[in-house]
């Protein structure tokens, strides 16, 4: 009797271990690291479509030039492969747009967004259509949404990377001055910390990245127009940043590459994004791209603007700008971190 009991107990224990291990394997599978560089995309599409109007539409949207850069650089660097050649070697690619046309499986066009399908971090967008002729109008209608999703995936990945950094002087300054939190890489050195402005600089290597955060009282919606935001930018950074020549100061380029204002969503809240080019006023030939986020601190009734700009003469600027831009998405205002402490605000 004792032997039989022990036998059933051993059987039960083995079965429990099997189920436990099986469950762990299914729910927590280990994925390989994604391959490819940031802002590279693999297009999986058959050759006739790629060489026709469908492929031209994909190239025109995904490979379009990014706005507000001093030289032509695309949103994504594209590579194409046919479905038959999409094998285990290519499946871990970082960003994949898969065009799946199959009349036996689909009755209408639809888009599926998948993260970490075959590797991590990975973004896969699968456009499913029953007919090749239906793909082009469907894609043209949804292309902006698809491209924005891929861009936000890249920014989110970079933001997660920044969250691994320990507290920096800049982060502590932002917490102290604005009652807010932001993830700033350790190679950004704090150079200015005043009541309503924090400035950090990363000038290591062959290019320079700057992060500036400032605040001022919120009085009306008119402060949130593109013109008003740029006027405030010129006021703040014109006083803060000077060139190597006496009398030069930072300004905004309006003529050749006019700044662009977009309403975006950050932390499920409204945010004004301005992209443009900065330049030194007063005769010095210096400039580069900038991106700024402006949001409302609802608890303290003030406007908070966080901007990154880079200086990289003679170099590609897409990737370093995007990497710096990801910092802006990590900013959390007092209402987002449940910090109800009132913070003193002074006029600039």
């Amino acid at each position: 009797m004792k032997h039989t009991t022990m036998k059933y107990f051993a059987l039960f224990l083995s079965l429990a271990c099997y189920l436990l291990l099986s469950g762990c394997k299914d729910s927590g599978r280990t994925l390989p690291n994604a391959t490819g560089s940031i802002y590279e995309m693999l297009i999986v599409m058959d050759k006739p479509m790629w060489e026709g109007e469908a492929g031209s539409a994909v190239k025109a949207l995904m490979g379009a030039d990014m706005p507000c850069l001093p030289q032509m650089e695309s949103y994504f660097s594209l590579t194409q492969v046919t479905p038959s050649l999409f094998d285990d070697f290519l499946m871990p690619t970082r960003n994949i747009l898969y065009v799946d046309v199959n009349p036996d499986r689909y009755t209408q066009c639809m888009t599926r967004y998948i993260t970490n399908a075959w590797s991590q971090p990975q973004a896969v967008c699968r456009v499913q259509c029953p007919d090749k002729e239906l793909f082009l109008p469907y894609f043209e209608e949804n292309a902006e949404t698809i491209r924005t999703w891929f861009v936000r995936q890249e920014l989110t990945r970079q933001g997660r990377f920044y969250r691994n950094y320990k507290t920096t002087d800049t982060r502590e300054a932002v917490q102290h001055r604005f009652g807010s939190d932001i993830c700033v890489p350790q190679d950004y050195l704090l150079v200015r910390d005043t009541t309503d402005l924090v400035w950090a600089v990363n000038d290591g290597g062959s290019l320079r990245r700057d992060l500036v955060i400032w605040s001022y009282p919120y009085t009306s919606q008119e402060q949130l127009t593109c013109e008003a935001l740029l006027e405030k930018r010129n006021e703040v950074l014109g006083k803060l940043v000077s060139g190597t020549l006496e009398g030069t100061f930072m300004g905004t380029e309006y003529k050749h590459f006019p700044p662009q204002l977009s309403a975006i969503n950050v932390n499920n809240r409204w945010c004004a994004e301005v992209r443009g080019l900065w330049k030194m006023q007063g005769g010095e030939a210096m400039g580069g791209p900038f991106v700024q986020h402006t949001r409302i601190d609802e608890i303290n009734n003030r406007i908070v603007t966080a901007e990154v700009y880079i200086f990289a003469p003679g170099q590609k600027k897409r990737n370093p700008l995007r990497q710096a831009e990801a910092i802006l998405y990590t900013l959390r205002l007092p209402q987002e971190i449940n910090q109800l402490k009132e913070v003193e605000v002074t006029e600039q």
Side-chain angles (χ1 to χ4, degrees), residues 94-222:
R94 185 183 188 91
N95 299 302
I96 300 173
L97 174 60
Y98 196 115
V99 178
D100 185 8
V101 178
N102 191 326
D104 297 326
R105 296 184 61 186
Y106 311 122
T107 59
Q108 61 182 359
C109 293
M110 65 177 297
T111 302
R112 294 179 58 204
Y113 298 100
I114 310 164
T115 57
N116 302 339
W118 299 293
S119 66
Q120 61 179 359
Q122 184 184 51
V124 179
C125 176
R126 196 179 189 102
V127 182
Q128 302 171 167
C129 290
D131 188 275
K132 293 181 180 181
E133 300 300 322
L134 297 176
F135 170 78
L136 183 59
Y138 178 81
F139 179 79
E140 289 178 336
E141 181 180 352
N142 294 276
E144 291 279 358
T145 301
I146 294 172
R147 185 176 66 190
T148 298
W149 181 76
F150 275 111
V151 170
R152 290 297 290 266
Q153 288 297 309
E154 286 282 21
L155 292 170
T156 299
R157 294 165 187 159
Q158 192 69 41
R160 290 197 189 107
F161 177 73
Y162 291 150
R163 288 187 177 92
N164 294 327
Y165 286 101
K166 297 179 180 178
T167 300
T168 61
D169 291 341
T170 304
R171 187 175 187 177
E172 290 180 344
V174 171
Q175 291 170 344
H176 174 66
R177 297 298 183 183
F178 307 112
S180 303
D181 190 31
I182 191 169
C183 299
V184 184
Q186 293 174 331
D187 48 8
Y188 280 74
L189 302 180
L190 182 64
V191 296
R192 181 69 63 87
D193 177 12
T194 60
T195 302
D196 47 16
L197 187 143
V198 171
W199 182 17
V201 177
N202 174 358
D203 60 355
S206 58
L207 58 87
R208 170 173 169 147
R209 303 176 179 92
D210 287 65
L211 167 67
V212 187
I213 305 173
W214 64 89
S215 69
Y216 50 102
Y218 173 59
T219 58
S220 72
Q221 283 286 113
E222 295 177 356

Side-chain angles (χ1 to χ4, degrees), residues 4 11 27 33 62 102 105 119 140 147 198 206 230 233 245 265 309 316 324:
T4 303
L11 179 63
S27 61
N33 293 330
M62 299 303 166
N102 191 326
R105 296 184 61 186
S119 66
E140 289 178 336
R147 185 176 66 190
V198 171
S206 58
L230 292 172
R233 176 186 191 275
L245 299 178
N265 184 299
Y309 62 88
K316 297 289 187 180

